[in-house]
Amino acid sequence: MACMPTLPLTVGFDLDMTLIDSRPGIKAAYEALAAETGAYIDADLAITRLGPPLEQELAHWFPEGRIQEMGDRYREIYPTYAITPTPALPGAREAVAAVRAAGGRAIVVTAKHEPNAKLHLAHLGIEPDAVIGWLWAEAKAEALREYGASVYVGDHVGDVRGAQAADALSVAVPTGPCDAAELRKAGADVVLADLTAFPAWLRAYCAERA
């Protein structure tokens, strides 16, 4: 049975630290960039604050005039260093499958460079209906509204703000840099321990709307 007979269900998912544990790959990419440029980058620190656009992190390690250049280079070397070491987070595949089982479609809306986001998903065998990159926080509402998403799942307070800006239900998982209390304070409608709890939550959500 479809989740909402009169309105197709679309659920959006963030990528980094929601569907995938991108810390090992991002750390490797930062270390490669540091080795290539001779710049100091504390990769262990950088991966504790994933979520915002890359340029915000690079601003900690490079002068303003080099940030665009370094961002372009990071994205260029990223597939070599970051795709293979990056696993799916527990429940990620099942969460996407649960949306399909409910007759809905799953989209990924991320701040990541879109081609690299697609490489991650292809490598892990996760096949959403659409992948939209380059959107952070409130800007995520552009894609969520375009695709008619009624739910957005993310790990960061920026994801909560994106859901709110799109008038979508904010489902949060504290698997990234923001803990459950921060996510609730930001206004998350639902906080799950991780994505393994998502299928049961979605079944209950759909049952309420059947």
Side-chain angles (χ1 to χ4, degrees):
M1 176 183 290
C3 181
M4 296 183 210
T6 60
L7 182 67
L9 170 69
T10 299
V11 176
F13 292 91
D14 176 50
L15 183 65
D16 287 357
M17 303 312 300
T18 299
L19 291 174
I20 66 173
D21 184 351
S22 50
R23 291 172 298 184
I26 289 177
K27 179 180 178 183
Y30 276 131
E31 288 174 342
L33 185 66
E36 180 180 302
T37 61
Y40 173 71
I41 300 174
D42 187 338
D44 288 308
L45 175 59
I47 62 172
T48 67
R49 47 195 185 199
L50 300 180
L54 170 65
E55 284 74 15
Q56 291 189 26
E57 183 61 41
L58 292 176
H60 294 287
W61 314 112
F62 293 96
E64 184 177 353
R66 296 197 69 197
I67 291 174
Q68 185 61 55
E69 173 197 356
M70 290 299 98
D72 290 344
R73 182 56 181 155
Y74 173 94
R75 294 182 179 101
E76 185 177 1
I77 66 174
Y78 188 94
T80 300
Y81 295 97
I83 303 301
T84 301
T86 297
L89 279 164
R93 293 181 179 88
E94 295 81 358
V96 172
V99 176
R100 299 266 172 70
R105 57 182 182 169
I107 65 172
V108 172
V109 183
T110 174
K112 189 180 287 297
H113 182 50
E114 189 173 303
N116 289 340
K118 291 178 176 178
L119 287 175
H120 276 299
L121 293 162
H123 176 73
L124 295 169
I126 299 173
E127 300 180 353
D129 295 282
V131 180
I132 307 95
W134 294 99
L135 298 175
W136 161 243
E138 287 83 357
K140 292 188 174 191
E142 299 171 18
L144 296 174
R145 288 185 183 279
E146 178 184 350
Y147 285 86
S150 56
V151 177
Y152 185 58
V153 186
D155 67 284
H156 198 283
V157 295
D159 299 322
V160 176
R161 300 203 310 268
Q164 291 170 334
D167 294 323
L169 193 77
S170 171
V171 177
V173 285
T175 46
C178 303
D179 64 24
E182 288 178 274
L183 294 165
R184 289 191 186 95
K185 184 177 180 181
D189 298 294
V190 177
V191 179
L192 305 174
D194 58 31
L195 284 182
T196 63
F198 181 82
W201 173 83
L202 185 65
R203 285 193 296 271
Y205 172 77
C206 289
E208 291 175 1
R209 287 153 181 77

